[in-house]
PDB file of all heavy atoms in Angstrom:
ATOM      1  N   ALA A  10     120.766 109.300  90.632  1.00 98.00           N
ATOM      2  CA  ALA A  10     120.175 108.239  89.813  1.00 98.00           C
ATOM      3  C   ALA A  10     118.798 108.610  89.272  1.00 98.00           C
ATOM      4  O   ALA A  10     118.318 107.994  88.318  1.00 98.00           O
ATOM      5  CB  ALA A  10     120.076 106.945  90.630  1.00 98.00           C
ATOM      6  N   LEU A  11     118.137 109.618  89.851  1.00 98.00           N
ATOM      7  CA  LEU A  11     116.844 110.051  89.352  1.00 98.00           C
ATOM      8  C   LEU A  11     117.007 110.813  88.042  1.00 98.00           C
ATOM      9  O   LEU A  11     118.062 111.394  87.761  1.00 98.00           O
ATOM     10  CB  LEU A  11     116.164 110.965  90.384  1.00 98.00           C
ATOM     11  CG  LEU A  11     115.864 110.365  91.750  1.00 98.00           C
ATOM     12  CD1 LEU A  11     115.308 111.440  92.675  1.00 98.00           C
ATOM     13  CD2 LEU A  11     114.897 109.205  91.639  1.00 98.00           C
ATOM     14  N   THR A  12     115.982 110.858  87.246  1.00 98.00           N
ATOM     15  CA  THR A  12     116.029 111.658  86.031  1.00 98.00           C
ATOM     16  C   THR A  12     115.993 113.142  86.371  1.00 98.00           C
ATOM     17  O   THR A  12     115.527 113.533  87.452  1.00 98.00           O
ATOM     18  CB  THR A  12     114.837 111.334  85.120  1.00 98.00           C
ATOM     19  OG1 THR A  12     113.626 111.726  85.778  1.00 98.00           O
ATOM     20  CG2 THR A  12     114.782 109.842  84.791  1.00 98.00           C
ATOM     21  N   ALA A  13     116.456 113.953  85.456  1.00 98.00           N
ATOM     22  CA  ALA A  13     116.402 115.395  85.675  1.00 98.00           C
ATOM     23  C   ALA A  13     114.957 115.862  85.846  1.00 98.00           C
ATOM     24  O   ALA A  13     114.684 116.774  86.639  1.00 98.00           O
ATOM     25  CB  ALA A  13     117.063 116.126  84.511  1.00 98.00           C
ATOM     26  N   ARG A  14     114.061 115.256  85.133  1.00 98.00           N
ATOM     27  CA  ARG A  14     112.650 115.639  85.253  1.00 98.00           C
ATOM     28  C   ARG A  14     112.112 115.335  86.643  1.00 98.00           C
ATOM     29  O   ARG A  14     111.358 116.121  87.218  1.00 98.00           O
ATOM     30  CB  ARG A  14     111.815 114.916  84.179  1.00 98.00           C
ATOM     31  CG  ARG A  14     110.401 115.439  84.029  1.00 98.00           C
ATOM     32  CD  ARG A  14     109.739 114.857  82.792  1.00 98.00           C
ATOM     33  NE  ARG A  14     110.474 115.205  81.589  1.00 98.00           N
ATOM     34  CZ  ARG A  14     110.387 116.365  80.964  1.00 98.00           C
ATOM     35  NH1 ARG A  14     109.582 117.319  81.451  1.00 98.00           N
ATOM     36  NH2 ARG A  14     111.077 116.592  79.862  1.00 98.00           N
ATOM     37  N   GLU A  15     112.519 114.199  87.189  1.00 98.00           N
ATOM     38  CA  GLU A  15     112.049 113.844  88.530  1.00 98.00           C
ATOM     39  C   GLU A  15     112.668 114.755  89.591  1.00 98.00           C
ATOM     40  O   GLU A  15     111.997 115.180  90.533  1.00 98.00           O
ATOM     41  CB  GLU A  15     112.374 112.378  88.831  1.00 98.00           C
ATOM     42  CG  GLU A  15     112.039 111.910  90.245  1.00 98.00           C
ATOM     43  CD  GLU A  15     110.552 112.004  90.584  1.00 98.00           C
ATOM     44  OE1 GLU A  15     109.727 112.078  89.649  1.00 98.00           O
ATOM     45  OE2 GLU A  15     110.235 112.020  91.786  1.00 98.00           O
ATOM     46  N   ARG A  16     113.957 115.083  89.425  1.00 98.00           N
ATOM     47  CA  ARG A  16     114.566 116.013  90.371  1.00 98.00           C
ATOM     48  C   ARG A  16     113.886 117.374  90.307  1.00 98.00           C
ATOM     49  O   ARG A  16     113.670 118.031  91.336  1.00 98.00           O
ATOM     50  CB  ARG A  16     116.059 116.148  90.073  1.00 98.00           C
ATOM     51  CG  ARG A  16     116.858 114.887  90.354  1.00 98.00           C
ATOM     52  CD  ARG A  16     118.348 115.177  90.448  1.00 98.00           C
ATOM     53  NE  ARG A  16     118.929 115.638  89.201  1.00 98.00           N
ATOM     54  CZ  ARG A  16     119.503 114.873  88.283  1.00 98.00           C
ATOM     55  NH1 ARG A  16     119.576 113.546  88.474  1.00 98.00           N
ATOM     56  NH2 ARG A  16     120.027 115.381  87.187  1.00 98.00           N
ATOM     57  N   SER A  17     113.534 117.804  89.106  1.00 98.00           N
ATOM     58  CA  SER A  17     112.833 119.078  88.953  1.00 98.00           C
ATOM     59  C   SER A  17     111.494 119.054  89.682  1.00 98.00           C
ATOM     60  O   SER A  17     111.111 120.032  90.346  1.00 98.00           O
ATOM     61  CB  SER A  17     112.612 119.385  87.468  1.00 98.00           C
ATOM     62  OG  SER A  17     113.826 119.582  86.805  1.00 98.00           O
ATOM     63  N   ARG A  18     110.783 117.956  89.556  1.00 98.00           N
ATOM     64  CA  ARG A  18     109.487 117.841  90.226  1.00 98.00           C
ATOM     65  C   ARG A  18     109.631 117.969  91.741  1.00 98.00           C
ATOM     66  O   ARG A  18     108.783 118.584  92.410  1.00 98.00           O
ATOM     67  CB  ARG A  18     108.846 116.497  89.872  1.00 98.00           C
ATOM     68  CG  ARG A  18     107.419 116.331  90.409  1.00 98.00           C
ATOM     69  CD  ARG A  18     106.908 114.932  90.182  1.00 98.00           C
ATOM     70  NE  ARG A  18     107.601 113.959  91.015  1.00 98.00           N
ATOM     71  CZ  ARG A  18     107.322 113.755  92.306  1.00 98.00           C
ATOM     72  NH1 ARG A  18     106.384 114.454  92.901  1.00 98.00           N
ATOM     73  NH2 ARG A  18     107.987 112.825  92.992  1.00 98.00           N
ATOM     74  N   ARG A  19     110.711 117.463  92.273  1.00 98.00           N
ATOM     75  CA  ARG A  19     110.883 117.484  93.725  1.00 98.00           C
ATOM     76  C   ARG A  19     111.437 118.812  94.246  1.00 98.00           C
ATOM     77  O   ARG A  19     111.242 119.143  95.409  1.00 98.00           O
ATOM     78  CB  ARG A  19     111.814 116.337  94.150  1.00 98.00           C
ATOM     79  CG  ARG A  19     111.269 114.971  93.813  1.00 98.00           C
ATOM     80  CD  ARG A  19     112.077 113.895  94.490  1.00 98.00           C
ATOM     81  NE  ARG A  19     111.731 112.569  94.032  1.00 98.00           N
ATOM     82  CZ  ARG A  19     112.117 111.439  94.632  1.00 98.00           C
ATOM     83  NH1 ARG A  19     112.885 111.504  95.711  1.00 98.00           N
ATOM     84  NH2 ARG A  19     111.755 110.274  94.156  1.00 98.00           N
ATOM     85  N   ILE A  20     112.126 119.552  93.407  1.00 98.00           N
ATOM     86  CA  ILE A  20     112.702 120.839  93.826  1.00 98.00           C
ATOM     87  C   ILE A  20     111.710 121.986  93.669  1.00 98.00           C
ATOM     88  O   ILE A  20     111.699 122.939  94.453  1.00 98.00           O
ATOM     89  CB  ILE A  20     113.972 121.151  93.013  1.00 98.00           C
ATOM     90  CG1 ILE A  20     115.074 120.133  93.326  1.00 98.00           C
ATOM     91  CG2 ILE A  20     114.467 122.564  93.272  1.00 98.00           C
ATOM     92  CD1 ILE A  20     115.561 120.171  94.770  1.00 98.00           C
ATOM     93  N   ARG A  21     110.830 121.878  92.682  1.00 98.00           N
ATOM     94  CA  ARG A  21     109.928 122.989  92.356  1.00 98.00           C
ATOM     95  C   ARG A  21     109.102 123.481  93.545  1.00 98.00           C
ATOM     96  O   ARG A  21     108.845 124.703  93.671  1.00 98.00           O
ATOM     97  CB  ARG A  21     109.008 122.576  91.206  1.00 98.00           C
ATOM     98  CG  ARG A  21     108.252 123.750  90.592  1.00 98.00           C
ATOM     99  CD  ARG A  21     107.452 123.330  89.376  1.00 98.00           C
ATOM    100  NE  ARG A  21     108.313 123.062  88.240  1.00 98.00           N
ATOM    101  CZ  ARG A  21     108.486 121.860  87.699  1.00 98.00           C
ATOM    102  NH1 ARG A  21     107.852 120.808  88.200  1.00 98.00           N
ATOM    103  NH2 ARG A  21     109.278 121.696  86.659  1.00 98.00           N
ATOM    104  N   PRO A  22     108.643 122.632  94.475  1.00 98.00           N
ATOM    105  CA  PRO A  22     107.826 123.137  95.596  1.00 98.00           C
ATOM    106  C   PRO A  22     108.538 124.138  96.493  1.00 98.00           C
ATOM    107  O   PRO A  22     107.879 124.832  97.282  1.00 98.00           O
ATOM    108  CB  PRO A  22     107.495 121.851  96.378  1.00 98.00           C
ATOM    109  CG  PRO A  22     107.535 120.758  95.355  1.00 98.00           C
ATOM    110  CD  PRO A  22     108.653 121.142  94.436  1.00 98.00           C
ATOM    111  N   LEU A  23     109.852 124.258  96.369  1.00 98.00           N
ATOM    112  CA  LEU A  23     110.555 125.238  97.200  1.00 98.00           C
ATOM    113  C   LEU A  23     110.128 126.661  96.855  1.00 98.00           C
ATOM    114  O   LEU A  23     110.102 127.524  97.734  1.00 98.00           O
ATOM    115  CB  LEU A  23     112.071 125.090  97.019  1.00 98.00           C
ATOM    116  CG  LEU A  23     112.967 125.903  97.960  1.00 98.00           C
ATOM    117  CD1 LEU A  23     112.678 125.578  99.413  1.00 98.00           C
ATOM    118  CD2 LEU A  23     114.438 125.665  97.631  1.00 98.00           C
ATOM    119  N   SER A  24     109.756 126.906  95.609  1.00 98.00           N
ATOM    120  CA  SER A  24     109.282 128.251  95.248  1.00 98.00           C
ATOM    121  C   SER A  24     107.941 128.550  95.906  1.00 98.00           C
ATOM    122  O   SER A  24     107.692 129.682  96.339  1.00 98.00           O
ATOM    123  CB  SER A  24     109.188 128.391  93.727  1.00 98.00           C
ATOM    124  OG  SER A  24     108.240 127.498  93.184  1.00 98.00           O
ATOM    125  N   ALA A  25     107.075 127.542  96.016  1.00 98.00           N
ATOM    126  CA  ALA A  25     105.795 127.734  96.701  1.00 98.00           C
ATOM    127  C   ALA A  25     106.013 127.975  98.199  1.00 98.00           C
ATOM    128  O   ALA A  25     105.283 128.762  98.829  1.00 98.00           O
ATOM    129  CB  ALA A  25     104.897 126.523  96.481  1.00 98.00           C
ATOM    130  N   TRP A  26     107.018 127.317  98.761  1.00 98.00           N
ATOM    131  CA  TRP A  26     107.352 127.547 100.176  1.00 98.00           C
ATOM    132  C   TRP A  26     107.783 128.986 100.388  1.00 98.00           C
ATOM    133  O   TRP A  26     107.398 129.637 101.370  1.00 98.00           O
ATOM    134  CB  TRP A  26     108.455 126.582 100.609  1.00 98.00           C
ATOM    135  CG  TRP A  26     108.947 126.809 102.009  1.00 98.00           C
ATOM    136  CD1 TRP A  26     108.356 126.377 103.165  1.00 98.00           C
ATOM    137  CD2 TRP A  26     110.108 127.558 102.397  1.00 98.00           C
ATOM    138  NE1 TRP A  26     109.084 126.801 104.257  1.00 98.00           N
ATOM    139  CE2 TRP A  26     110.157 127.518 103.819  1.00 98.00           C
ATOM    140  CE3 TRP A  26     111.096 128.236 101.695  1.00 98.00           C
ATOM    141  CZ2 TRP A  26     111.189 128.156 104.527  1.00 98.00           C
ATOM    142  CZ3 TRP A  26     112.113 128.865 102.401  1.00 98.00           C
ATOM    143  CH2 TRP A  26     112.146 128.822 103.799  1.00 98.00           C
ATOM    144  N   LEU A  27     108.578 129.524  99.468  1.00 98.00           N
ATOM    145  CA  LEU A  27     109.008 130.919  99.575  1.00 98.00           C
ATOM    146  C   LEU A  27     107.806 131.852  99.531  1.00 98.00           C
ATOM    147  O   LEU A  27     107.746 132.834 100.285  1.00 98.00           O
ATOM    148  CB  LEU A  27     109.966 131.260  98.442  1.00 98.00           C
ATOM    149  CG  LEU A  27     111.369 130.668  98.525  1.00 98.00           C
ATOM    150  CD1 LEU A  27     112.095 130.883  97.204  1.00 98.00           C
ATOM    151  CD2 LEU A  27     112.165 131.287  99.660  1.00 98.00           C
ATOM    152  N   ALA A  28     106.856 131.567  98.663  1.00 98.00           N
ATOM    153  CA  ALA A  28     105.672 132.407  98.570  1.00 98.00           C
ATOM    154  C   ALA A  28     104.868 132.350  99.867  1.00 98.00           C
ATOM    155  O   ALA A  28     104.367 133.384 100.355  1.00 98.00           O
ATOM    156  CB  ALA A  28     104.802 131.960  97.383  1.00 98.00           C
ATOM    157  N   ARG A  29     104.751 131.165 100.415  1.00 98.00           N
ATOM    158  CA  ARG A  29     103.978 131.003 101.649  1.00 98.00           C
ATOM    159  C   ARG A  29     104.659 131.676 102.850  1.00 98.00           C
ATOM    160  O   ARG A  29     104.005 132.259 103.703  1.00 98.00           O
ATOM    161  CB  ARG A  29     103.777 129.508 101.918  1.00 98.00           C
ATOM    162  CG  ARG A  29     102.852 129.215 103.092  1.00 98.00           C
ATOM    163  CD  ARG A  29     102.620 127.725 103.243  1.00 98.00           C
ATOM    164  NE  ARG A  29     103.781 127.038 103.771  1.00 98.00           N
ATOM    165  CZ  ARG A  29     104.478 126.114 103.114  1.00 98.00           C
ATOM    166  NH1 ARG A  29     104.149 125.806 101.856  1.00 98.00           N
ATOM    167  NH2 ARG A  29     105.511 125.525 103.670  1.00 98.00           N
ATOM    168  N   GLU A  30     105.970 131.603 102.901  1.00 98.00           N
ATOM    169  CA  GLU A  30     106.710 132.085 104.066  1.00 98.00           C
ATOM    170  C   GLU A  30     107.339 133.461 103.842  1.00 98.00           C
ATOM    171  O   GLU A  30     108.167 133.896 104.646  1.00 98.00           O
ATOM    172  CB  GLU A  30     107.831 131.080 104.395  1.00 98.00           C
ATOM    173  CG  GLU A  30     107.339 129.720 104.833  1.00 98.00           C
ATOM    174  CD  GLU A  30     106.644 129.774 106.175  1.00 98.00           C
ATOM    175  OE1 GLU A  30     107.069 130.576 107.030  1.00 98.00           O
ATOM    176  OE2 GLU A  30     105.668 129.024 106.371  1.00 98.00           O
ATOM    177  N   GLN A  31     106.946 134.169 102.793  1.00 98.00           N
ATOM    178  CA  GLN A  31     107.671 135.376 102.424  1.00 98.00           C
ATOM    179  C   GLN A  31     107.692 136.451 103.504  1.00 98.00           C
ATOM    180  O   GLN A  31     108.716 137.119 103.727  1.00 98.00           O
ATOM    181  CB  GLN A  31     107.124 135.953 101.116  1.00 98.00           C
ATOM    182  CG  GLN A  31     105.674 136.373 101.141  1.00 98.00           C
ATOM    183  CD  GLN A  31     105.256 136.983  99.810  1.00 98.00           C
ATOM    184  OE1 GLN A  31     105.802 138.000  99.390  1.00 98.00           O
ATOM    185  NE2 GLN A  31     104.305 136.351  99.141  1.00 98.00           N
ATOM    186  N   GLU A  32     106.582 136.639 104.219  1.00 98.00           N
ATOM    187  CA  GLU A  32     106.560 137.687 105.249  1.00 98.00           C
ATOM    188  C   GLU A  32     107.509 137.343 106.390  1.00 98.00           C
ATOM    189  O   GLU A  32     108.277 138.195 106.867  1.00 98.00           O
ATOM    190  CB  GLU A  32     105.144 137.879 105.777  1.00 98.00           C
ATOM    191  CG  GLU A  32     104.185 138.480 104.765  1.00 98.00           C
ATOM    192  CD  GLU A  32     104.600 139.886 104.332  1.00 98.00           C
ATOM    193  OE1 GLU A  32     105.210 140.612 105.156  1.00 98.00           O
ATOM    194  OE2 GLU A  32     104.322 140.255 103.182  1.00 98.00           O
ATOM    195  N   ASN A  33     107.478 136.111 106.829  1.00 98.00           N
ATOM    196  CA  ASN A  33     108.370 135.687 107.909  1.00 98.00           C
ATOM    197  C   ASN A  33     109.822 135.745 107.468  1.00 98.00           C
ATOM    198  O   ASN A  33     110.700 136.219 108.208  1.00 98.00           O
ATOM    199  CB  ASN A  33     108.000 134.269 108.342  1.00 98.00           C
ATOM    200  CG  ASN A  33     108.875 133.767 109.476  1.00 98.00           C
ATOM    201  OD1 ASN A  33     109.080 134.451 110.481  1.00 98.00           O
ATOM    202  ND2 ASN A  33     109.402 132.552 109.321  1.00 98.00           N
ATOM    203  N   LEU A  34     110.100 135.282 106.252  1.00 98.00           N
ATOM    204  CA  LEU A  34     111.472 135.317 105.740  1.00 98.00           C
ATOM    205  C   LEU A  34     111.981 136.743 105.614  1.00 98.00           C
ATOM    206  O   LEU A  34     113.140 137.040 105.948  1.00 98.00           O
ATOM    207  CB  LEU A  34     111.536 134.618 104.378  1.00 98.00           C
ATOM    208  CG  LEU A  34     111.360 133.102 104.385  1.00 98.00           C
ATOM    209  CD1 LEU A  34     111.187 132.582 102.962  1.00 98.00           C
ATOM    210  CD2 LEU A  34     112.544 132.421 105.058  1.00 98.00           C
ATOM    211  N   ALA A  35     111.131 137.639 105.128  1.00 98.00           N
ATOM    212  CA  ALA A  35     111.543 139.040 104.973  1.00 98.00           C
ATOM    213  C   ALA A  35     111.920 139.631 106.327  1.00 98.00           C
ATOM    214  O   ALA A  35     112.899 140.390 106.443  1.00 98.00           O
ATOM    215  CB  ALA A  35     110.425 139.850 104.323  1.00 98.00           C
ATOM    216  N   ARG A  36     111.194 139.286 107.363  1.00 98.00           N
ATOM    217  CA  ARG A  36     111.494 139.836 108.689  1.00 98.00           C
ATOM    218  C   ARG A  36     112.782 139.244 109.257  1.00 98.00           C
ATOM    219  O   ARG A  36     113.549 139.944 109.925  1.00 98.00           O
ATOM    220  CB  ARG A  36     110.310 139.594 109.637  1.00 98.00           C
ATOM    221  CG  ARG A  36     109.084 140.395 109.245  1.00 98.00           C
ATOM    222  CD  ARG A  36     107.971 140.362 110.265  1.00 98.00           C
ATOM    223  NE  ARG A  36     106.844 141.147 109.788  1.00 98.00           N
ATOM    224  CZ  ARG A  36     106.755 142.466 109.888  1.00 98.00           C
ATOM    225  NH1 ARG A  36     107.735 143.148 110.454  1.00 98.00           N
ATOM    226  NH2 ARG A  36     105.697 143.108 109.427  1.00 98.00           N
ATOM    227  N   ILE A  37     113.026 137.981 108.983  1.00 98.00           N
ATOM    228  CA  ILE A  37     114.279 137.374 109.444  1.00 98.00           C
ATOM    229  C   ILE A  37     115.466 138.026 108.748  1.00 98.00           C
ATOM    230  O   ILE A  37     116.461 138.399 109.382  1.00 98.00           O
ATOM    231  CB  ILE A  37     114.263 135.848 109.196  1.00 98.00           C
ATOM    232  CG1 ILE A  37     113.196 135.166 110.052  1.00 98.00           C
ATOM    233  CG2 ILE A  37     115.643 135.251 109.505  1.00 98.00           C
ATOM    234  CD1 ILE A  37     113.000 133.703 109.730  1.00 98.00           C
TER     235      ILE A  37
END
C-alpha cells in the first residue's frame, strides 16, 4: 500500500549497512 518512493526510502539504508558491516560480512 506504500508508494514506490516510500518503499525506496525504507530500503535504501541497507546499502549503508553493507558499507558499515563490510569487513565482518567479508569474513563470514
